[in-house]
Amino acid sequence: NKYPCPTRIGLPVWPGNRGSHQLLAVGRQVGQALGGGCVAFIGQVVSRPMTIQEVTDDHDLLFITQSRTDVARQSDGRQVNLAISGSDHWISISGSASVAEEPETKQRLWNAFNDAYTEGGWQNPDNVVIRVSADSAEYWDTPGGLGVLLGVLKANITGGKPAAGESGTVEL
């Protein structure tokens, strides 16, 4: 995928959860929501925005940066959290990060965005792949924009609460 945003995340059935239709439905919700967002905040306590380059079938989220950046040094070998936001959804993904050169991956994913934020092209060994292996994901799916405004207006008139939307957790 040469585009700067993934088009989907696949959440396959894995051993031990084959009969869980509810879990699969939540997985589909996470996958659909993630398809609409392409910038994630990645980090431990301090996060920064980075473009998701690809989401693999194994639930790995790939980013490209330079090895000398704070995000590369602070993420390697550590637990991280990705916060992703769209117009009507939010996703929190936790997982472990690793940093590696991965020349074949860089060549396959390289695009104009990488050229703009790094130096030397995919061949430069200082340009690295951050691979976040997702452990779990939580999503919040709520009406966005006008839907939120109308919900708040209705709540103020009726004395009720606006619809909170759906949420769920998936252990990957």
Side-chain angles (χ1 to χ4, degrees), residues 23-104:
L23 187 59
L24 291 175
V26 171
R28 284 189 202 97
Q29 287 286 335
V30 172
Q32 289 170 357
L34 185 56
C38 59
V39 173
F41 280 78
I42 178 176
Q44 292 178 292
V45 176
V46 177
S47 298
R48 73 269 304 142
M50 293 194 62
T51 301
I52 300 168
Q53 300 288 315
E54 181 179 62
V55 180
T56 71
D57 291 337
D58 294 330
H59 312 122
D60 290 351
L61 290 90
L62 307 183
F63 303 85
I64 293 178
T65 190
Q66 295 195 291
S67 61
R68 66 179 180 269
T69 62
D70 287 343
V71 69
R73 289 192 309 267
Q74 294 168 357
S75 300
D76 195 18
R78 298 205 173 123
Q79 287 294 117
V80 296
N81 181 267
L82 307 176
I84 301 166
S85 167
S87 62
D88 60 356
H89 63 270
W90 294 266
I91 304 171
S92 175
I93 298 174
S94 64
S96 55
S98 61
V99 177
E101 189 179 339
E102 296 191 35
E104 297 82 17

Side-chain angles (χ1 to χ4, degrees), residues 100-109 122-123 125 127 129:
E101 189 179 339
E102 296 191 35
E104 297 82 17
T105 302
K106 289 189 303 185
Q107 182 179 16
R108 179 172 48 80
L109 298 176
W122 68 266
Q123 302 93 334
N127 294 330
V129 174

